[in-house]
Amino acid sequence: MSNFPAVQAAQAISGPNLPPDAARLRFKNMVAKHYIVTRERSATDGRGTLLFSEGDILTAAILSELMDLGGLSREAMQAVASRLQAWVVGETPTIDSDTIKALQAAADAGKPLEVPGYNVPESPALWMYQTFTEGKYAPPGFTLRLSWQKPVAGGNGFCTAAISHGDFGELGAGLFMAPDHVPVADLILPIDPILLTVHARLEALVA
């Protein structure tokens, strides 16, 4: 995992319809609205500059794509951001007590022990990015689904978001239908093209 300052994150989400200055403002607003979780600061520049991972930047690029579509509420944007930036309980690999003891013993002996699934990526977005790069850039078939539902009896509805991984299906429990609710609409956004663009731009930044 690499970390990038906000100015480089903004470069990675800019494009023909989003000039660099507009991209910087858009990214700044995403952070201010807590769509992007701030986890890291530079320990070397003396100012504690905020740093963002590839997963954070992929999240910003996906949110930016949705903003360009227009018409989405803050609730919908927050649902997408939360799905991309945070794991749901039970999704990440758990470590049993025997494995924890083995890890501690290996650490005490100065011989780190590799446990599959132990180093869980910080977010689903970073997991998608790493899945893409570790797969030698083969299209992983990621999609984002934003779904609206409302009570049968009327009243305010709500939206939820889910990530799908090709033939593997939806990550974790996926979408759920609340009792006495009916579906209203779905929005499907392919993530693979966004992944390709973000990866190419980040590679250019570190070259």
Side-chain angles (χ1 to χ4, degrees):
M1 184 182 78
S2 300
N3 288 311
F4 301 83
V7 64
Q8 289 185 320
Q11 282 181 261
I13 69 169
S14 64
N17 299 317
L18 187 66
D21 286 346
R24 283 193 289 272
L25 179 59
R26 180 172 285 187
F27 187 80
K28 180 180 178 180
N29 287 337
M30 289 180 194
V31 174
K33 291 178 180 178
H34 306 292
Y35 294 160
I36 307 294
V37 178
T38 52
R39 313 173 207 263
E40 300 287 339
R41 288 184 178 271
S42 173
T44 59
D45 70 354
R47 296 177 297 168
T49 299
L50 287 171
L51 299 174
F52 301 92
S53 70
E54 295 98 333
D56 296 331
I57 296 169
L58 177 60
T59 298
I62 292 170
L63 291 172
S64 184
E65 190 81 12
L66 292 172
M67 288 176 185
D68 288 342
L69 292 176
L72 293 182
S73 66
R74 181 164 181 172
E75 177 201 14
M77 297 297 289
Q78 186 62 65
V80 173
S82 297
R83 176 66 288 201
L84 295 171
Q85 286 275 283
W87 294 104
V88 175
V89 174
E91 282 183 345
T92 56
T94 56
I95 306 300
D96 59 70
S97 59
D98 289 340
T99 302
I100 291 174
K101 291 176 183 177
L103 284 165
Q104 186 60 57
D108 292 343
K111 299 177 181 178
L113 178 66
E114 293 292 330
V115 178
Y118 182 68
N119 295 314
V120 178
E122 67 183 17
S123 68
L126 184 59
W127 167 73
M128 286 193 290
Y129 189 90
Q130 292 178 348
T131 299
F132 171 69
T133 56
E134 291 168 4
K136 305 302 180 185
Y137 320 120
F142 285 123
T143 58
L144 172 75
R145 180 181 172 194
L146 191 58
S147 183
W148 287 263
Q149 52 187 281
K150 66 178 182 180
V152 174
N156 295 327
F158 65 95
C159 60
T160 57
I163 297 167
S164 290
H165 182 197
D167 293 337
F168 295 100
E170 291 182 343
L171 178 64
L175 293 173
F176 70 94
M177 182 63 63
D180 301 319
H181 278 62
V182 291
V184 177
D186 278 4
L187 185 155
I188 307 293
L189 180 71
I191 295 177
D192 288 3
I194 302 173
L195 260 172
L196 282 164
T197 301
V198 168
H199 177 263
R201 290 176 178 167
L202 292 182
E203 287 290 290
L205 287 172
V206 299

